[in-house]
Each structure stands twice: as structure tokens, then as C-alpha cells.
Amino acid sequence: RVVLVSTELIELAGVQCTLSIINDITERKRMEDEFISLVSHELRTPMNSIIGALDLLGTQKLGTLTELGQQTINIATNNMERLIRLVNDILDLERIKSGKIAMRYVECQADKLLIEATQAMQAMADSAQVNLSVEPTPVQIHADPDRILQTLTNLLSNAIKFSEPGETVSLRSSLNCEYLQIEVQDRGRGIPQDKLQLIFERFQQVDASDSRAKGGTGLGLPICRTIVEQHNGRIWVESSLGEGSTFYVRLPVDEGLGTGD
Ligand code: ADP
């Protein structure tokens, strides 16, 4: 809990008094999160109605469109889809962080999750002409499989987005007695050293054009971090500019669960 106290000297009825202003940053941050979440929630209904209307127009159910008309509808649809992704990510982050979405921990095979994540991202890799490779270690973990899958697909999606055609994105895991270490490695543009921690914060992107050019929201990594930390794990990145990045996820392996062979 971070509390800032500022003290001011004031004169009250001729008597000098000190007025202490307690500024509870944690409370302010909580109210800010709640406000963002409320606004995002309220935005969802009108946004869905707009996307429905654009779909009706775009599929020419309301009449034939000129080529320019069709292009305009496509641009509007793309932007609405970005907005919906942003709002969904904001809500997701707030709900996971506040515990409104509880983790559903079960014993699961981490290697199967790695394979499932690669399969889910194969189409995106194909269209970006990026090779995907997976080397999973068979091990059982106590985790929420949907949320771990969400973390892995988020990291893979970034790795693919920031890779050039012909490059390879690798998903690996290795087992230590206390934890499972998952690595997502790309040979893309890399991340500057001063941004390595910052990108795990809300709305932080290396380049201001990333959200427009790559369709991102700047919320993927904060969501990954929240999920991993709720699993008592750790997430970080190592990177060299122009050579690529490796994102690491460490998840504790419960004693007695052992390998899933
Ligand atoms: P976004 O939706 O923008 O991808 P993220 O929180 O997932 O949001 O990532 C934040 C920013 O971190 C990205 O916009 C990008 O600038 C940088 N980034 C993330 N992953 C990579 C990567 N593999 N290579 C280069 N930059 C990356």
C-alpha cells in the first residue's frame, strides 16, 4: 500500500495549523481501475450494435455498395474490431487482477498446453510466413489451463507479429525440480533495454505506431503478467535489438506431481 502524506501550513482563525493531506495512491489506482472497467463495460453494447450494422452494410444486405463504399466499411469494421479487442482486454485485465475471474486450478499436462498453443497460432504464423517450432517437456502442473493457454498464445502472437517472413518462432520448455520454464523465442526486431520492464505495464508499447501497425492494445503483456503472478510464477524478457527476444515464464511445479510420462 503506497500512501503519500503532504503537509501544509495554514492559518485558521489566526492560529497556525498544519494540515496533512493523505493521498492513498493504492485507493486512487483501485478507483481508476474500477472507472475504466465500468466505462469499458458500458461501451460494449453500443459497439456490438455498430459492428452489427457494419456487417449488414458490408455484406450488402441493405443494398449494393460502390467500391469506395465497401472500402470505407472495411476500414470502419477493422477499427471497430480493434476497439472491441481493446475493451475486452481492459475488462479481462481488471477482472483477473481484482479476482472477479477466479483461476480454475487443475492438474494439467503442460506439454499438451504448449502443443495446443502452437496449433492455435499456426494459421497466424502461416499467413505471416513464420515457422513455428515446439519442444515441450512432459510435466504435470497445477494451473488454470485456459489462462496458461491465453498467456502462451499472447506471447506467440507477439513473437509472430514482430518477426519477418521466413524467420522461426520457438516455444520450448524445460524442467527444474522447483519450476517449469517456458521460453518463447523470436528472431525479430528486438526490444530496447530501457523498455524490457516497461512493456509489462498497461498501454506501454515500444513504438507509438505499434498499436496501429500491428493491431495491438498494449494490454497483452500486462494480462500475461497478471495470470503468471496469480500462479505464483514469474515472467520476464531478454532481448537484443535486431537479433530478437526471448520471453520466459516460470511456473512452480508442485512436489509430487512429477513428470507426466
Ligand atoms: P500489444 O497488444 O501492443 O502487442 P503487448 O502488451 O502484448 O501489447 O506488448 C506491448 C509492446 O511490447 C508491443 O506493442 C511491442 O512494442 C513490444 N513487444 C512485445 N512482444 C514483442 C516481441 N516479441 N518483439 C518485439 N517487441 C515486442
Side-chain angles (χ1 to χ4, degrees):
R1 200 172 185 90
V2 188
V3 177
L4 271 189
V5 183
S6 67
T7 310
E8 276 173 36
L9 202 63
I10 56 161
E11 199 172 299
L12 212 87
V15 183
Q16 290 226 318
C17 314
T18 12
L19 174 71
S20 289
I21 302 161
I22 298 176
N23 193 350
D24 188 331
I25 292 176
T26 315
E27 179 58 13
R28 215 175 58 195
K29 193 128 193 26
R30 192 192 60 77
M31 284 168 69
E32 206 179 278
D33 285 353
E34 214 164 82
F35 175 72
I36 292 175
S37 155
L38 198 79
V39 172
S40 307
H41 193 261
E42 290 306 311
L43 284 175
R44 279 227 286 209
T45 315
M47 275 181 350
N48 282 328
S49 133
I50 295 171
I51 203 95
L54 287 173
D55 183 53
L56 276 178
L57 289 168
T59 49
Q60 319 227 356
K61 285 181 185 137
L62 301 180
T64 314
L65 288 170
T66 61
E67 202 180 320
L68 185 62
Q70 187 69 54
Q71 276 170 13
T72 311
I73 296 289
N74 290 348
I75 294 169
T77 307
N78 283 343
N79 280 300
M80 272 316 287
E81 282 169 356
R82 240 184 76 205
L83 202 56
I84 288 176
R85 260 199 319 274
L86 175 66
V87 163
N88 284 340
D89 280 353
I90 290 174
L91 287 172
D92 219 18
L93 180 61
E94 199 273 331
R95 286 177 183 158
I96 300 170
K97 236 164 116 180
S98 65
K100 278 181 208 146
I101 295 182
M103 295 288 137
R104 288 182 305 154
Y105 296 104
V106 290
E107 294 348 308
C108 49
Q109 289 296 125
D111 43 317
K112 289 201 178 129
L113 291 178
L114 262 69
I115 293 168
E116 216 178 313
T118 330
Q119 285 168 347
M121 299 317 293
Q122 193 60 57
M124 181 182 176
D126 288 347
S127 73
Q129 295 167 37
V130 169
N131 309 308
L132 263 188
S133 96
V134 61
E135 292 168 44
T137 306
V139 62
Q140 199 171 315
I141 52 170
H142 186 67
D144 182 328
D146 291 338
R147 295 293 164 185
I148 296 298
L149 202 60
Q150 182 180 6
T151 304
L152 298 179
T153 51
N154 248 328
L155 296 177
L156 283 174
S157 147
N158 280 345
I160 297 167
K161 258 189 330 196
F162 295 102
S163 291
E164 295 298 324
E167 287 174 352
T168 298
V169 165
S170 317
L171 178 61
R172 288 187 291 270
S173 66
S174 56
L175 187 62
N176 182 292
C177 47
E178 292 151 31
Y179 54 81
L180 172 74
Q181 182 159 303
I182 303 171
E183 297 173 20
V184 180
Q185 185 181 42
D186 67 65
R187 299 274 170 220
R189 70 177 196 195
I191 301 162
Q193 294 300 306
D194 63 332
K195 295 279 169 38
L196 292 180
Q197 291 200 8
L198 212 64
I199 53 171
F200 290 95
E201 302 294 332
R202 253 188 344 199
F203 303 122
Q204 294 294 332
Q205 292 176 315
V206 171
D207 195 319
S209 68
D210 280 350
S211 73
R212 200 174 293 269
K214 308 277 181 185
T217 61
L219 289 168
L221 291 175
I223 291 175
C224 292
R225 187 178 77 170
T226 309
I227 293 172
V228 171
E229 286 178 352
Q230 295 230 349
H231 281 77
N232 292 322
R234 205 160 83 76
I235 182 167
W236 73 99
V237 58
E238 287 171 8
S239 187
S240 286
L241 273 183
E243 289 179 22
S245 315
T246 305
F247 283 80
Y248 297 88
V249 172
R250 262 189 196 176
L251 295 172
V253 174
D254 282 359
E255 270 177 48
L257 287 180
T259 63
D261 288 328

